[in-house]
Amino acid sequence: MDFQVIFNNFRFLILQGFFGFGTFAGGTLRLALPAIVLGFILGTFIGLARLARSRWIHWPARIYVEFFRGVPLVMVIFWFWFIIPALTGKSLPEYAVALTAFVIFEAAYLAEIVRAGIQSVPRGQIEAATATGLSRAQLMRHVVLPQALRNMIPALVTQFIVLLKDTSLASIIGYVDLTKAAQIVNNREIRPFELYLFIALIYWLCSYSMSRYTRRWENRLSPSPS
Amino acid sequence: ETTLEKIDKSGTLIIGTRTGSPPFAYVNKNNEWVGFSIDLVEKAILPVLNKKLNKQIKLEKKESAPQTRIPLLQSNAVDLIAETMTDTQSRRDNVDFSLTFFVTGAQFLVKKGGAIKGIQTIAGKRIAAQQGSTNAKIIRERVPSAKLLEFPDQPAAFQALAQGQVQAYTNDGIQLAGLKAKAPKPDDWAGVGEFFSYEPYGIAMRKNDSDFRQAVNVGLMDALASNLYFEIYDKWFGPKGEVPYPLLPETKRFLQMQVVPK
Amino acid sequence: MIEFRKVNKWFGSLHVLEDIDLTIEAGKVVVVCGPSGSGKSTLIRCINRLETIQSGDIIVDGSSLSDAKLDTVKLRTEVGMVFQSFNLYPHMTVLRNITLAPVKVKHVSPAEAEKIAAVLLERVGIPDKSQAYPANLSGGQQQRVAIARALAMKPKIMLFDEPTSALDPEMINEVLEVMTDLARDGMTMVVVTHEMGFARRVAHRIVFMDQGRIVEANEPEKFFAAPESARAQQFLSKILSH
Amino acid sequence: MIEFRKVNKWFGSLHVLEDIDLTIEAGKVVVVCGPSGSGKSTLIRCINRLETIQSGDIIVDGSSLSDAKLDTVKLRTEVGMVFQSFNLYPHMTVLRNITLAPVKVKHVSPAEAEKIAAVLLERVGIPDKSQAYPANLSGGQQQRVAIARALAMKPKIMLFDEPTSALDPEMINEVLEVMTDLARDGMTMVVVTHEMGFARRVAHRIVFMDQGRIVEANEPEKFFAAPESARAQQFLSKILSH
Amino acid sequence: MNYQLNWSILWSGQTGGWLLNGLLTTLEISSLAWLLALTLGNVAGALRTAPIPPFRWLASAYVEFFRNVPLLVWMFFWYFGMPPLLPQALQDWLLDHGAEFWAGVCALGVYHGARFSEVIRSGIQSIPKTQFEAAHSTGLTVWQTYRLIIVPIALRLIIPPATNETLNLIKNSSVALTIGVAELTFQTRQIETYTAKAFEALAAGTVVYLVLCLAISTLMAVVERRVAIPGMIAQGNASEF
Ligand SMILES: Nc1ncnc2c1ncn2[C@@H]1O[C@H](COP(=O)(O)OP(=O)(O)OP(=O)(O)O)[C@@H](O)[C@H]1O
Ligand SMILES: Nc1ncnc2c1ncn2[C@@H]1O[C@H](COP(=O)(O)OP(=O)(O)OP(=O)(O)O)[C@@H](O)[C@H]1O
Ligand SMILES: [Mg+2]
Ligand SMILES: [Mg+2]
């Protein structure tokens, strides 16, 4: 093993691959962070739609979720890469395509997390809020969602960790994330063991520190030592 | 809208190329996207377009993978594909190709002194190939008893060879030469066998756009007729190049014979 | 104040309320009792429209609940409700639990709402807990906060659905005392409970339900001395004997 | 039969049992009462080693629980336990709930176990429910199945941890009756409960706990007539008044 | 887009056969990996709730280590890193019997086992602690309690999240193409190579995955209803409120 390859390419791997500063469209974090935030917003709407009484609202939401759960993400990215230009007549930059595809795909998974989170809030909370005259929107905003959010945190973090690794699927459209950066270097210098060990370490550090950190965060969010 | 009109309007030529096919198209140690195929476009074809459209055309690169390169062309996302794409008849059903700009053929990379000497000796052996390559297709047809393992990238296939998971790795001769040159111990490896396939590399373009194709071909012909092509060749494949790979006299003659009179 | 007129309600094929007729006058306390599943909760939940009825009508403070133009929010500000399981918002302090609805629904200023909350916490006997979170309170304290929360909307009617049955025996009294005070102050109350001591002391009328019907409605003295129906007799003997 | 000798137990820094000394003779019924958090549950859970103690010793049917060689499985077959929340196995029929432990632990043949189960279901008054699933039974029925399940191991001692406090008032009696029968038949029982009527009728001794200590242990007549300690007086006044 | 769609390439020539082979390989590798993942997940998930600290640590270490590293890396590990540690005879045998397939099964199974264990752990933790105590107090051992009571209940509770994980596993099986396993995605690329019809090939791949996943989630929904504990787990659509 010769870790010289890591030192020589450290900037490319970390700055370009992980953070996304560089000449290529890329960056694991630059894609994963906005994708989870926007995906969560979209997912919240879809998750709420799945709980709606009207079948005209909950069925489309359900179909959306089932559809994207059944299709590999790489295929979704591929289709967006070619369908957006076909529809709009303009080709979008890689980053925009990757982000759109991720947001739309992740929203399906996040919608399920949101739904489960909301359903974990006891019914009595909704009744109590309703009985004091809060509107549906008010009770969602002030009573249900804050509690649901806390219940969702572990699942959200897990999903974010998955997403962090899945950004590599965007390399099919030339997006240079950490994995792709390692592959580019590998193609040039043929050092698979060193490179893969290095990226494994980076991913592991991210995921592990994050799940550690959220455990503390969770405790902070819950007002009681329950 | 023809491709020339599109380029005229946008002022850019967008090409689809690779980040991991040294020395044709790859990212070098300085993180620049370079290579033989890219140089050809930049130095031979771009000047023709500049002259023809009477303005400075910019060059923009996008990554193309085997699964995306034809859709990229057809959705107008890129204007040409310049990498290591072999010109084949079935591909010609969907895209047009320029003149051949590089010629190679499939061979085998083996551990020095290995049992495999060429395609006649691979029956029953485990052979690695690159996914989606024409070589794998030929082996499957010519030696069905060989056990074929296809890897998506060169390093994985090479790793399989180095660890003895396969007894040989087949790819275009030039790719094997590049691989051998960069391998930790180049002398442990040998490229063996006659070319068992013919791999003419071409630049792919959208079908039925002969004006644009003419511009590309003129660029290539000019480069071949002047000494430009051979300078570029020397830069990448000469003794001091990224992958030393001497140009065979017959190949040189073939390339030059593609040049038609003005 | 509250009037049920031939009210019927079904859950699917289950007939949970059958021809309910009942009038509750302003300032009166009515205790509803009966076996489990007899429809007590459903009955009182109809009053603030947590459940909708399928036939008949309910008149609350002069307005008919079957009126399509009825303002549900206004109805609910006039009718407070307390649940068996407290249902405090666990992520808010006691103070915010109490001020949320006045501020959001009645648009009372936060400062004003906090003043009201302080008075109410004083009244339910826990003036010092306004910054605590529900999980750090005992069950009895939580239920008293829930009562304060309902009172913060200045309702004309209070509904209680088994307010003490999730409490440890020692804490039952502290909640019943708050309720007794409320009744003394002239609040109109409908209380589902099995605390027969409370019913005897405080109620003006006792309604006994079975299988979706009101089997008997009587003054407490008469009800406890000699229930008219056999079902009520049997029920009373069971819950009073242990 | 059961003897606590200077038993101490901590949960972290919380001293939940403090110098407990208590002797329970065979065939006697002891009722444990006291405010919430006083350590009643912990006390009886020590008897079948659901909790371990940190100092002192407990002797059950002649064997010391601090003995490292003690066979916990054998201890638990001799001590049955019934919980507040029934805890029936929801995915098994009533019959399988009852026969599971005899078959798996005592290696009784399934046919034999089913015979025993039938007798026990008869005894707790629900002979016809053997094929029902727990979710389809009322709370009182579930608790009676739980008692049958514990009895199926033919224990010498039965522990009850607030067996009726999760029940609807109407169902409390049916469970208390089963327990009363059991006591009449001479079972050694330790019962945590707030049902003072039951305690008065059935118990041979009442143990009152507060803050991890046994404050008072007395015969029921004396305990109810005039509790010695002020804390017990106050407690009794609270739970008997409503 | 001036693209001539030609769907007939999907059934003319060998392409149909390839798709079918790819589907079969995907099913084979996924189902073997699924069995492995479920076994590991059950054991690790149960151990993580066990009252014995060293077991908990061991299981946590397994989960944290395996699920936080990309699957791609595990594929390389099992294919390139593992064989040299095996006896020569076994290595040779493996090489002649699809080493890449077995490496793929291990990588997928062990990786998803770590993720399954999280699902199972949360299933077990959603069972009230008193349920364990009830079982213990009748003399059932820890092992019997898990086997007869806790795991059977947890398995029913976790069907929805486990279905999700199963679908993820199937979709992730395409990563095995990096070590040369000729599964479904591999075959759609193959079709592209031979016919230069990328859209048709990928559309075929997308549809096959979609049908496969929908079939599985429908099947699991039926299973969920079949094994539902009478009166306990909400039957049908309990989602509305
Ligand atoms: N949302 C609902 N959907 C279907 N059935 C319901 C619903 N709510 C209550 N029921 C049924 O209606 C009947 C009456 O319920 P209700 O809650 O009013 O009874 P209750 O008298 O309050 O009983 P308890 O003393 O157990 O609270 C019961 O059989 C119950 O199962
Ligand atoms: N596993 C545990 N870990 C930490 N503290 C515990 C644990 N179990 C009980 N305690 C604490 O020990 C004290 C005594 O608990 P115990 O359950 O024995 O009380 P109890 O008298 O049965 O009360 P209740 O009437 O509420 O059931 C309480 O303060 C309780 O919070
Ligand atoms: Mg009720
Ligand atoms: Mg207790």
Side-chain angles (χ1 to χ4, degrees), chain C residues 11 14 16 35-42 162:
Chain C
F11 281 122
L14 186 73
V16 270
S36 177
S38 55
K40 309 179 293 294
S41 300
T42 310
E162 307 203 25

Side-chain angles (χ1 to χ4, degrees), chain E residues 117-180:
Chain E
S117 85
E118 285 295 276
V119 170
I120 286 159
R121 177 173 70 122
S122 64
I124 290 176
Q125 283 178 343
S126 69
I127 298 172
K129 191 164 156 267
T130 50
Q131 194 72 252
F132 290 75
E133 294 177 343
H136 288 161
S137 71
T138 54
L140 293 175
T141 60
V142 173
W143 165 243
Q144 284 175 323
T145 305
Y146 271 94
R147 189 167 56 84
L148 297 167
I149 315 290
I150 304 304
V151 172
I153 299 175
L155 280 181
R156 289 166 163 96
L157 294 178
I158 62 163
I159 288 175
T163 305
N164 227 356
E165 265 318 304
T166 304
L167 300 188
N168 283 334
L169 188 152
I170 289 173
K171 294 198 278 175
N172 273 343
S173 68
S174 71
V175 178
L177 70 77
T178 54
I179 53 169

Side-chain angles (χ1 to χ4, degrees), chain C residues 168-169, chain D residues 10-12 14-17 34-43 45 51 84 161-162 192 194 209 212, chain E residues 129:
Chain C
D168 281 319
Chain D
W10 286 263
F11 280 122
L14 185 74
H15 203 164
V16 272
L17 293 183
S36 178
S38 56
K40 308 180 294 293
S41 300
T42 310
L43 180 86
R45 289 156 59 86
E51 305 285 357
Q84 171 176 352
D161 191 359
E162 307 201 23
V192 177
H194 295 113
M209 291 187 69
Chain E
K129 191 164 156 267

